[in-house]
């Protein structure tokens, strides 16, 4: 069977980004549909039963489900159409916008839209992605998969855990499995600093006396049918694991929390210009990609650490997409490029289509104390802010006014010692 | 600084500012002599509480009968003392409720007798309703 439907704006993904983008676009007057592959809205928030969401936006610590529910109700009240159990298999450009080929149980259909907002989020790096050495027994999960099994399906993945990588999901799962009666032998991190937020180190590891071994990697996974343990070793002076100092950690389950990858297969299929550092598309101040009418927000654009910032970014994308449809978007007069300078890993947006203001997001390369964020246009210093400390796990956002900046220039963001 | 005192850097967990608050205290009688580098009064209160009587909101899940999902996620209505968490988790593991559940529903009234309730944090529809909805 084949059906056709036309909307102003199609949003792909009903996680926090998709919901906030859809609500904003709808309240700006556009007819909006959200396409979601899961059987419900909420995305990753559905399996995040811990609290701490909404501290900035609502000034209280909500659980993931509570946070998503607020946005889902806002979408419903605004008149956004939510299509669940539906997968976008491919997308193509047409004369009037885009055609999305979708699949749901027993039904293939085409949704055409004048604009598309990408909000597909990200997925976890796996054992293969980090070339995990040793055997391949049962009992190795990504932290997010274990989180879904534990919190949604009531399946405990093991009893004695080793967690590789100190990303936030790994830290949250260390606490979760401990509360459920399991034990966590250790969390290892190859970097000299933790990957997750300080607050999660405290509430998830320190509270339960779980050790965190920094600059420590995996020498070998042990076990044939099921994981029986792992050999871990510290990083030596040459940057390689010092196997002469390896330690045997007995465990039956290994959780990986070693990074997230924006899920951009659809984006690439449209030949959108990508940013190799963020793993997402390059966007302008309206969060529009290099493909006219194609917007991106949330973790598909850049991996966030706090959902409140995802919602804020996504609402901006929704508002801009609606303005694009009304033809309000200014002619492309000037282009200012934004670049990462000293100490900065990436900057977003990557360019400005016009002089004006934008909310700039960036991350530093390594933890530093007493720094100054400097933004320069050529030799001119246009912004500076002192910060007591910065770290890669915490995104820095700066409202930036570039209305006085000359056209066709490059603006660089630096993080230097004060 | 008396001889028992220690200086500890505590990362505030109240908000994403994550202030690194420096605190000097005596771990034996838990007497605080100095708190520095908190960027707001909430941070000072948090450090005091964290040393005198640490509290946490417990988030976990409870078995559901007849629901679309086998679990409903729950949390304590207010933070509880850290040392009752294990007892609370043991009690929760014996609980079972029936679908449907709605966000904000009272799942269990004051299980520990310390005026703390368990509140649902997920919508769990009935299994039958799900079949009807999808038309399968």
């Amino acid at each position: 069977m084949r059906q056709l439907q036309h909307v102003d704006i199609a949003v792909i993904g009903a996680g926090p980004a998709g919901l906030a983008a859809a609500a904003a676009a709808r309240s700006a007057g556009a007819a909006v549909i959200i396409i979601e592959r899961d059987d419900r809205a909420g995305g990753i928030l559905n399996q995040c039963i811990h609290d701490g969401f909404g501290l900035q936006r609502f000034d209280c610590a909500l659980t993931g489900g509570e946070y998503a529910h607020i946005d889902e109700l806002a979408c419903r009240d605004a008149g956004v159409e939510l299509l669940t159990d539906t997968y976008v298999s491919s997308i193509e450009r047409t004369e009037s916008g885009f055609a999305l080929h979708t699949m749901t149980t027993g039904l293939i259909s085409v949704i055409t839209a004048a604009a598309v907002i990408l909000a597909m989020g990200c997925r976890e790096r796996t054992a293969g992605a980090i070339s995990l050495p040793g055997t391949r027994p049962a009992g190795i999960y990504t932290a997010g998969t274990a989180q879904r099994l534990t919190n949604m399906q009531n399946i405990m993945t093991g009893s004695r855990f080793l967690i590789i990588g100190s990303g936030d999901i790994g830290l949250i799962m260390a606490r979760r499995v401990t509360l459920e009666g399991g034990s966590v032998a250790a969390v290892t991190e190859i970097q000299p600093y933790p990957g997750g937020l300080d607050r999660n180190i405290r509430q998830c590891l320190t509270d339960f006396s779980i050790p965190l071994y920094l600059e420590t990697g995996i020498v070998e996974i042990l076990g044939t049918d099921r994981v029986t343990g792992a050999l871990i070793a510290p990083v030596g002076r040459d940057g390689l694991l010092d196997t002469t100092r390896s330690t045997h950690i007995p465990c039956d389950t290994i959780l990986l929390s070693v990074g997230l990858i924006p899920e951009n297969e659809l984006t690439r299929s449209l030949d959108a210009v990508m940013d190799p550092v963020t793993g997402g598309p390059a966007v302008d101040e309206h969060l529009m990609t290099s493909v006219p009418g194609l917007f991106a927000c949330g973790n598909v654009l850049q991996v966030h650490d706090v959902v409140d910032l995802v919602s804020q970014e996504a609402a901006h994308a929704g508002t801009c997409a609606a303005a694009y449809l009304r033809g309000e978007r200014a002619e492309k007069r000037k282009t200012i490029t934004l670049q990462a300078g000293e100490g900065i890993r990436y900057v977003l947006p990557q360019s400005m289509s016009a002089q004006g203001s934008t909310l700039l997001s960036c991350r530093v390369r390594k933890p530093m104390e007493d720094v100054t964020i400097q933004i320069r246009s050529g030799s001119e210093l246009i912004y500076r802010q002192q910060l007591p400390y910065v770290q890669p796990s915490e995104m820095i956002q700066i409202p930036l006014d570039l209305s006085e900046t000359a056209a066709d220039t490059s603006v660089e963001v630096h993080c230097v010692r004060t | 600084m008396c001889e028992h005192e220690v200086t500890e850097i505590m990362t505030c967990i109240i908000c994403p500012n994550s202030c690194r608050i420096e605190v000097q205290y005596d771990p034996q009688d838990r007497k605080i002599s100095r708190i520095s580098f908190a960027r707001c009064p909430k941070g000072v209160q948090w450090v005091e509480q964290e040393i005198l009587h640490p509290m946490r909101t417990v988030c976990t899940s409870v078995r559901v009968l007849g629901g679309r999902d086998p679990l409903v996620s729950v949390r304590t209505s207010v933070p509880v003392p850290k040392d009752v968490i294990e007892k609370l988790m043991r009690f929760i593991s014996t609980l079972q409720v029936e679908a449907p559940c709605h966000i904000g529903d009272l799942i269990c009234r004051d299980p520990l007798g310390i005026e703390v309730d368990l509140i649902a944090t997920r919508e769990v529809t009935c299994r039958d309703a799900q079949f009807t909805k999808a038309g399968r």
Side-chain angles (χ1 to χ4, degrees), chain A residues 32 44 53 83 108 121 125 147 153-154 209 215 243 279 282-283 313 323 325 334 337 378 387 398:
Chain A
V32 182
I44 200 69
F53 301 93
L83 198 60
I108 294 171
R125 292 178 76 200
Q147 187 180 46
Q153 292 170 247
N154 202 16
S209 309
E215 292 186 89
T243 51
V283 290
E313 180 179 276
L325 292 186
K334 327 256 180 188
T337 52
L387 294 170
I398 300 164

Side-chain angles (χ1 to χ4, degrees), chain A residues 137-216:
Chain A
I140 304 174
Y141 300 86
T142 59
T145 299
Q147 187 180 46
R148 189 172 179 95
L149 290 168
T150 312
N151 294 345
M152 304 291 291
Q153 292 170 247
N154 202 16
I155 296 168
M156 186 70 171
T157 47
S159 57
R160 186 168 170 80
F161 293 80
L162 171 67
I163 300 181
I164 301 175
S166 57
D168 285 310
I169 315 171
L171 301 176
I172 295 288
M173 280 310 289
R175 172 175 64 185
R176 188 75 199 113
V177 297
T178 307
L179 286 176
E180 288 295 341
S183 68
V184 179
V187 177
T188 67
E189 170 59 56
I190 195 87
Q191 297 291 335
Y193 47 85
L197 299 172
D198 280 351
R199 47 203 301 265
N200 286 335
I201 303 280
R202 181 157 193 101
Q203 345 175 50
C204 300
L205 301 189
T206 315
D207 271 11
F208 301 97
S209 309
I210 298 168
L212 169 62
Y213 301 133
L214 296 174
E215 292 186 89
T216 300

